[in-house]
């Protein structure tokens, strides 16, 4: 008779107690940080209510970094706390003294202001596109086709993975959904065909190479397209509210185009040199992909409709932004998908990641806008400008990019990084005489995707590949440093001069 193994009750109780204790510490940490900042003397030149608002904002960012609760809960909590205490945190004494000013109404109006932001709805619409890719299996078909024709050699298989991500990126605002949800489940089937196993010396046969190429491709394509990474779209809203500059889909694409093309074409080869697979050629992978494609059969009606719809959306984003708001274009496509049966209403209502991101980003947009409306951003820009006085516009742009990029080591969320640092960097830049703000905006924003490569927690899909068993900790940090340095050098030597020339 097989003996049943059980965990001793004392060990289980100790483990649960330790887990609860750690969770309580993580939940208390944002509150402690916020309270400590509330008791710090108000800096000279800053209204007290603006400093108190900043204290709560920092508490929210700390919560987003450590995530004792889901990010949407953290963001909503921050908004509710500020709205409830708005007379001390959000509004100036002059506003409160105005007899026509209705505190309760204005507090609620600010609290829900993020839900009316067009960028938040664009993010939501793009998530529905990703749901269409998943339900129709069109994304899986694209990846398998590339693997079928490019999968015989390890190097060309690396390019197949990269091009699969590239094809999905313009229509998938979550690199976690795109790379972790579509690409990873496919390529996870490939290493065993080569006898390459996770958490085993055989991982280096090919599995390690494929996983590294996949996460690196996700980071590159996340910078290449405005609609390929949710924080890109958040950055769009923050830029508009902070410095009043609007970035179109086409401007973003052109800004990163030469650098993106270069990285897409060379990255699988660089990975092949720095992290070479032991197996160079194998005939099994194309055969496996062919069998999987046969199971899918011919393109379905819904796949064809989805292809037409997303191409229409892309054309409207690029060429018709003056006639139709990009968010409305996305919602139009969602309506068409619902009417034609590509998606059902249940697909919309049951899409938890989309609704979670919708609430999360709406609250973050409101919180970031509050930094500006309280006057904190203007004060920070003035102080930062004094520190950078005397620096040439070109050197200032480079210094801001270096700081923005390297500070990502402190963040486990590109969203938290964008919310916390982008408005501050832009405000400081705006105080420097002669600086080209459009160039600064594009240089900083297009770095958001590629900076995710530097750590195993740097972007959404990173933990998925890190936890695959094919990328040991030492290798991940070493490669992250190498490729992070390559991407940063490329931004400085190619991206920045190109953007300066074009804008």
């Amino acid at each position: 008779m097989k003996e049943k193994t059980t965990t001793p009750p004392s060990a289980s109780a100790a483990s649960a107690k330790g887990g609860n204790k750690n969770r309580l510490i993580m939940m208390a940490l944002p509150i402690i940080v916020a309270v400590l900042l509330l008791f710090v003397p108000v800096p000279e030149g800053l209204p007290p209510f603006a400093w108190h608002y900043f204290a709560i904002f920092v508490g929210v960012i700390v919560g987003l970094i450590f995530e004792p609760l889901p990010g949407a809960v953290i963001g909503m909590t921050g908004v509710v706390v500020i709205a409830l205490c708005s007379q001390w945190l959000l509004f100036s004494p002059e506003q409160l003294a105005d007899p026509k000013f209705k505190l309760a109404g204005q507090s609620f109006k600010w609290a829900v202001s993020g839900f009316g932001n067009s960028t938040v709805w664009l993010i939501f619409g793009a998530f529905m596109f990703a749901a269409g890719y998943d339900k129709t299996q069109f994304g899986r078909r694209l990846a398998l086709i590339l693997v079928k024709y490019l999968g015989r050699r390890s190097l060309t298989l690396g390019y197949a993975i990269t091009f699969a991500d590239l094809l999905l990126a313009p229509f998938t605002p979550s690199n976690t959904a795109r790379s972790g949800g579509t690409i990873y489940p496919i390529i996870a089937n490939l290493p065993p065909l080569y006898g390459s196993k996770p958490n085993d010396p055989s991982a280096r046969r090919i599995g390690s190479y494929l996983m590294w190429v996949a996460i690196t491709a996700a980071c590159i394509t996340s910078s290449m397209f405005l609609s390929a990474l949710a924080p890109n779209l958040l950055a769009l809203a923050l830029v508009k509210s902070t410095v009043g500059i609007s970035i179109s889909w086409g401007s973003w694409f052109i800004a990163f185009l030469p650098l993106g093309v270069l990285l897409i074409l060379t990255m699988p080869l660089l990975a092949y040199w720095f992290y070479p697979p032991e197996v160079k050629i194998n005939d099994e992978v194309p055969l496996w992909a062919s069998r999987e494609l046969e199971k899918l059969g011919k393109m379905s009606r819904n796949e064809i409709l989805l292809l037409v719809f997303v191409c229409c959306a892309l054309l409207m984003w690029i060429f018709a932004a003056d006639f139709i708001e990009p968010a409305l274009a996305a919602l139009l496509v969602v309506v068409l998908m619902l009417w034609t049966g590509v998606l059902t209403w249940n697909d919309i209502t049951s899409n938890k990641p989309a609704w979670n991101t919708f609430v999360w980003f709406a609250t973050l947009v409101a919180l970031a806008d509050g930094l500006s409306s309280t006057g904190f951003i203007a004060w920070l820009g003035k102080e930062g400008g004094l520190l950078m006085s005397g620096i040439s516009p070109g050197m200032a742009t480079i210094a801001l990019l270096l700081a923005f990029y390297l500070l990502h080591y402190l963040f486990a969320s590109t969203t938290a990084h964008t919310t916390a640092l982008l408005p501050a960097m832009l405000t400081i830049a705006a105080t420097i005489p002669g600086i080209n703000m459009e160039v600064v905006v594009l240089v900083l924003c297009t770095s958001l995707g590629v900076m995710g490569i530097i750590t195993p927690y740097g972007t959404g899909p990173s933990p998925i590949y890190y936890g695959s068993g094919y990328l040991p900790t030492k290798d991940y940090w070493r490669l992250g440093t190498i490729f992070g340095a390559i991407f940063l050098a490329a931004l400085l030597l190619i991206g920045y001069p190109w953007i300066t020339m074009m804008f």
Side-chain angles (χ1 to χ4, degrees):
M1 186 175 175
K2 191 174 180 181
E3 207 173 286
K4 188 183 283 187
T5 304
T6 58
T7 305
S10 59
S12 298
S15 176
K17 186 176 180 181
N20 288 334
K21 184 179 179 181
N22 289 337
R23 185 168 180 270
L24 287 173
I25 292 172
M26 291 300 181
M27 291 181 73
L29 193 58
I31 300 171
I32 293 169
V33 170
V35 170
L36 288 175
L37 282 174
L38 285 172
F39 285 100
V40 170
V42 178
E44 187 178 348
L46 187 65
F49 78 97
W51 177 254
H52 299 154
Y53 181 96
F54 175 70
I56 304 300
F57 179 83
V58 171
V60 171
I61 296 300
V62 170
L64 291 176
I65 291 172
F66 292 99
E67 281 205 338
L69 293 169
V73 177
I74 300 293
M76 186 175 290
T77 302
V79 165
V80 170
V81 168
I82 290 171
L84 288 173
C85 305
S86 57
Q87 64 186 102
W88 303 289
L89 300 174
L90 189 61
F91 300 117
S92 67
E94 291 77 17
Q95 288 174 297
L96 296 171
D98 187 346
K100 297 180 180 179
F101 186 81
K102 305 298 182 184
L103 179 63
Q106 290 299 320
S107 298
F108 179 77
K109 184 178 179 180
W110 171 83
V112 298
S113 61
F115 292 94
N117 185 279
S118 62
T119 304
V120 173
W121 282 100
L122 179 59
I123 294 172
F124 179 80
F127 262 93
M128 294 303 109
F129 289 11
Y133 271 93
D134 183 51
K135 184 176 182 180
T136 63
Q137 297 199 67
F138 183 58
R140 178 177 172 81
R141 183 184 297 276
L142 289 176
L144 288 171
I145 289 171
L146 289 170
V147 170
K148 176 182 176 180
Y149 292 106
L150 296 174
R152 184 170 179 267
R153 295 180 180 274
S154 299
L155 179 59
T156 54
L157 183 54
Y159 277 100
I161 292 168
T162 303
F163 292 147
D165 199 299
L166 182 67
L167 287 170
L168 297 173
F171 315 106
T172 316
S174 167
N175 61 0
T176 306
R178 179 176 73 251
S179 189
T182 301
I183 302 296
Y184 176 77
I186 295 173
I187 66 171
N189 294 286
L190 303 182
L193 299 176
Y194 295 83
S196 182
K197 301 175 183 178
N199 302 306
D200 187 82
S202 64
R204 283 300 305 272
R205 286 178 62 81
I206 193 170
S208 299
Y209 169 73
L210 296 182
M211 297 300 165
W212 184 252
V213 166
I215 182 59
T216 313
C219 291
I220 295 170
T221 57
S222 293
S223 273
M224 199 164 186
F225 304 102
L226 171 61
S227 48
L229 181 70
N232 290 350
L233 295 159
L234 175 62
L236 193 75
L238 296 180
V239 167
K240 183 66 181 291
S241 65
T242 305
V243 292
I245 293 176
S246 297
I247 309 172
S248 68
W249 196 99
S251 296
W252 185 295
F253 179 69
I254 291 170
F256 199 77
L257 181 60
L259 180 54
V261 170
L262 177 66
L263 293 179
I264 287 290
L265 294 178
T266 59
M267 181 275 297
L269 183 60
L270 290 172
Y272 196 80
W273 289 341
F274 286 111
Y275 206 43
E278 295 170 3
V279 175
K280 310 299 188 210
I281 299 176
N282 188 289
D283 293 319
E284 287 297 317
V285 171
L287 294 175
W288 171 81
S290 297
R291 291 194 296 270
E292 293 296 309
L293 280 168
E294 286 175 9
K295 292 178 185 177
L296 287 178
K298 294 181 179 180
M299 281 187 70
S300 66
R301 164 191 173 273
N302 284 355
E303 285 182 271
I304 295 170
L305 285 172
L306 177 66
L307 178 61
V308 172
F309 292 156
V310 295
C311 287
C312 289
L314 188 59
L315 290 172
M316 285 188 284
W317 289 345
I318 298 173
F319 300 111
D322 292 337
F323 307 102
I324 180 170
E325 172 70 35
L328 187 57
L331 291 177
L332 170 61
V333 170
V334 172
V335 169
L336 291 173
M337 287 196 287
L338 288 168
W339 274 86
T340 54
V342 174
L343 290 178
T344 65
W345 184 243
N346 187 58
D347 294 325
I348 304 289
T349 57
S350 63
N351 194 321
K352 291 182 180 179
W355 290 109
N356 179 66
T357 305
F358 179 74
V359 174
W360 184 11
F361 276 68
T363 55
L364 290 179
V365 167
L367 288 165
D369 184 64
L371 282 176
S372 178
S373 65
T374 57
F376 182 86
I377 291 294
W379 171 83
L380 182 66
K382 182 181 177 182
E383 296 299 314
L386 291 174
L387 291 174
M388 297 189 72
S389 60
I391 300 178
S392 68
M395 288 303 298
T397 303
I398 291 172
L400 289 169
L401 173 60
L402 287 170
F404 191 64
Y405 190 95
L406 296 175
L407 283 171
H408 193 59
Y409 274 105
L410 304 178
F411 291 89
S413 162
T414 311
T415 302
H417 178 112
T418 305
T419 308
L421 296 183
L422 184 60
M425 294 290 178
L426 294 177
T427 306
I428 291 170
T431 65
I432 298 169
I435 201 164
N436 186 327
M437 280 306 299
E438 191 171 5
V439 169
V440 174
V441 164
L442 289 169
V443 166
L444 294 181
C445 290
T446 55
S447 72
L448 286 170
V450 291
M451 69 172 61
I453 198 62
I454 62 178
T455 67
Y457 51 82
T459 190
S462 297
I464 297 172
Y465 291 101
Y466 178 56
S468 68
Y470 289 102
L471 294 171
T473 301
K474 181 178 68 174
D475 289 356
Y476 204 114
W477 280 99
R478 177 176 64 85
L479 292 167
T481 301
I482 292 170
F483 279 76
I486 291 171
F487 291 169
L488 180 57
L491 282 167
L492 292 170
L493 299 176
I494 299 171
Y496 174 45
W498 167 260
I499 293 171
T500 302
M501 182 176 69
M502 294 300 296
F503 299 93

